[in-house]
Amino acid sequence: MTHFITRRTLVQSAVAFATAATLLAAPAAQAATQLRLAVPDPADSSVGQAASRFAALVSEKTDGEVSFQVFPDGILFGKDQNAAVNQLGSGALDGLILASSVYASFEPKMNAISLPYLFADYDQLQGYLSGEPGEDLLASLERFDIHGLGFFLRTFRNVTSRDTAITTAADFDGLTLRTPNNPLFVSLFDALGANPTPMAFSEVYSALQLKAIDGQENPVEVPLNNRFYEVQGHLNMTQHLADSFLLALSDAAWDKIPQEFHAAVQAAADEMILEHDAQEIAQEAEIIAQLEAQGMQVNRFAEGELAKVQEIARGIYPQFEDQIGADFMQMSIAFTAQN
C-alpha cells in the first residue's frame, strides 16, 4: 500500500477582488515530510503489510504531515540485504524493515535473539524485544547512524522433513537439512546429529523435490506459501530458534522529521508492532491447520525429549560468547530466566 503526502495549499482570500500581492503576502504553506520505506518481501507478505500499516498510522498520527511510501521486494536495494543496511546507515535509504539476523553481520549482539531455545514462548520473546535487551540492541545501532524504532516478532522456526517424524532427539541423526548460511544454524543442527546444508532459498524446493535434501527449517508460513507440503510429509514443531524484524530509519531521515512529530512516529511504530505480533501468533495455528489439510503430519516431541534437545542446543552457546559478547549473552540468559 502506498501513502502519499497531502500538501496544504495557500487559502485564497474570500474577497473576489483580492490581488496577487495579497496572495503573495499570505503565510507560506508548511511542506510535508515524505520518506521511503524499503522492505525485502512482497507487498502482500506479512512484512509488507506491517510496513503499510506503519505508514498508515504515521499519516494518521501526524495529520498527513509525515508520510512513508512503501517499496516492496527489495527494489530499493537490489535485493542485497547487507547492502541495504549500509545504505540505511549512509542515508541512501530513509527507512528499512529487515530481519535482525541480517543486522547480526554488522552488530554481532543481534545473534542473541537467535540463540536456540533461549525463549520458552512468545511472551518471553516479546518481553525481550520490547524490554531492556531490545533497547540495548536498538542503541547498538547508533554508531551506524541508524535510528531503531522497534522489533516485531517472527514465529518460531520448525523443521519439515520428507519421511522422518521428529519426536525424539535421536530423530535428527543423519537428516540432511537445508539451513541459511549462518554459523549459528549450522552449529545447532551439527550438534543435534543432522547434516546441515547451507543453500540459497531459491534452490530449496527443487532440492526437496529431487531428494537432494531431506528437509528444511523455517517459520510455518514458509512451507505453506512455498508449497513445500507437495514434497514434505512432516511438519515437526521443533520451535528451535527465534528471529525478528527490525523497523529502523536512517539518522538523516529521523532528522528530516520535524521534532514535533517524533513522538507520533514512534507511537505509530509501537502500535503497529503490537498489532502485528498478535496477528502473527494467532495466524500460526491457522497455518498449521492448513498444512495438515494439505496432508502434512504434525509432530511434537515425546515426553522428556524436548529437554534433551534443549540441553544439546544450549551446549553451543559458548561457541558464540565472544561474538555476541559475554556480558550481553549473560544478560539475555538472565532476562529470560526471570521473565
Side-chain angles (χ1 to χ4, degrees):
M1 180 177 179
T2 302
H3 297 272
F4 298 96
I5 297 172
T6 301
R7 293 185 178 274
R8 292 183 296 177
T9 58
L10 292 173
V11 179
Q12 295 184 351
S13 170
V15 182
F17 53 85
T19 64
T22 303
L23 289 175
L24 290 171
Q30 179 182 350
T33 304
Q34 301 185 57
L35 299 168
R36 302 192 301 174
L37 178 61
V39 296
D41 297 335
D44 60 355
S45 67
S46 174
V47 176
Q49 291 176 32
S52 293
R53 179 58 176 156
F54 169 68
L57 286 167
V58 167
S59 182
E60 173 188 316
K61 293 179 183 296
T62 64
D63 293 325
E65 294 297 321
V66 180
S67 74
F68 284 88
Q69 186 177 2
V70 177
F71 289 80
D73 293 313
I75 58 175
L76 291 187
F77 50 87
K79 299 189 176 183
D80 184 336
Q81 296 190 10
N82 282 343
V85 177
N86 284 321
Q87 290 174 38
L88 185 67
S90 72
L93 289 178
D94 295 324
L96 179 66
I97 297 178
L98 211 56
S100 56
S101 54
V102 177
Y103 278 90
S105 298
F106 300 84
E107 173 46 78
K109 288 166 68 172
M110 291 284 179
N111 280 307
I113 297 172
S114 296
L115 285 169
Y117 294 107
L118 178 63
F119 305 105
D121 52 38
Y122 291 128
D123 284 343
Q124 274 194 350
L125 176 57
Q126 287 176 288
Y128 181 95
L129 295 175
S130 63
E132 183 180 353
E135 292 173 359
D136 194 318
L137 290 173
L138 291 179
S140 72
L141 298 176
E142 292 175 0
R143 73 180 189 276
F144 301 109
D145 297 323
I146 292 173
H147 182 85
L149 291 173
F151 295 95
F152 54 100
L153 63 77
R154 297 187 77 185
T155 53
F156 293 135
R157 300 175 79 97
N158 299 283
V159 174
T160 66
S161 51
R162 184 176 58 254
D163 303 316
T164 303
I166 299 176
T167 61
T168 71
D171 291 331
F172 287 99
D173 287 350
L175 282 180
T176 301
L177 299 176
R178 179 269 175 181
T179 68
N181 189 18
N182 181 312
L184 195 150
F185 289 69
V186 172
S187 294
L188 168 63
F189 288 105
D190 187 56
L192 288 169
N195 178 25
T197 305
M199 179 184 297
F201 183 76
S202 59
E203 302 172 7
V204 174
Y205 185 94
S206 59
L208 292 170
Q209 188 176 40
L210 295 171
K211 300 184 180 180
I213 55 176
D214 299 313
Q216 61 84 56
E217 55 80 53
N218 260 302
V220 293
E221 73 268 14
V222 174
L224 179 65
N225 294 338
N226 293 276
R227 305 176 70 89
F228 288 170
Y229 50 79
E230 296 175 343
V231 288
Q232 297 278 270
H234 296 269
L235 171 61
N236 307 289
M237 300 303 295
T238 51
Q239 298 186 308
H240 51 275
L241 190 145
D243 198 358
S244 65
F245 286 104
L246 172 60
L247 169 60
L249 306 181
S250 69
D251 279 355
W254 183 245
D255 290 341
K256 289 179 187 176
I257 299 171
Q259 182 73 33
E260 63 187 288
F261 296 125
H262 280 185
V265 172
Q266 183 63 62
D270 294 342
E271 185 171 338
M272 179 277 287
I273 289 167
L274 286 174
E275 290 180 4
H276 174 273
D277 285 1
Q279 183 177 359
E280 285 292 289
I281 294 168
Q283 286 181 343
E284 184 178 39
E286 298 172 10
I287 292 171
I288 293 169
Q290 291 178 61
L291 289 170
E292 279 190 297
Q294 293 292 341
M296 294 192 80
Q297 179 176 314
V298 179
N299 308 305
R300 291 177 171 81
F301 287 119
E303 185 175 354
E305 292 298 318
L306 175 59
K308 294 179 185 178
V309 173
Q310 289 173 329
E311 183 178 2
I312 294 169
R314 289 168 181 161
I316 74 168
Y317 284 19
Q319 297 178 36
F320 298 91
E321 188 172 73
D322 288 343
Q323 188 180 50
I324 293 171
D327 290 345
F328 191 73
M329 177 178 280
Q330 290 307 313
M331 173 190 178
S332 298
I333 294 170
F335 185 92
T336 53
Q338 296 166 8
N339 292 275

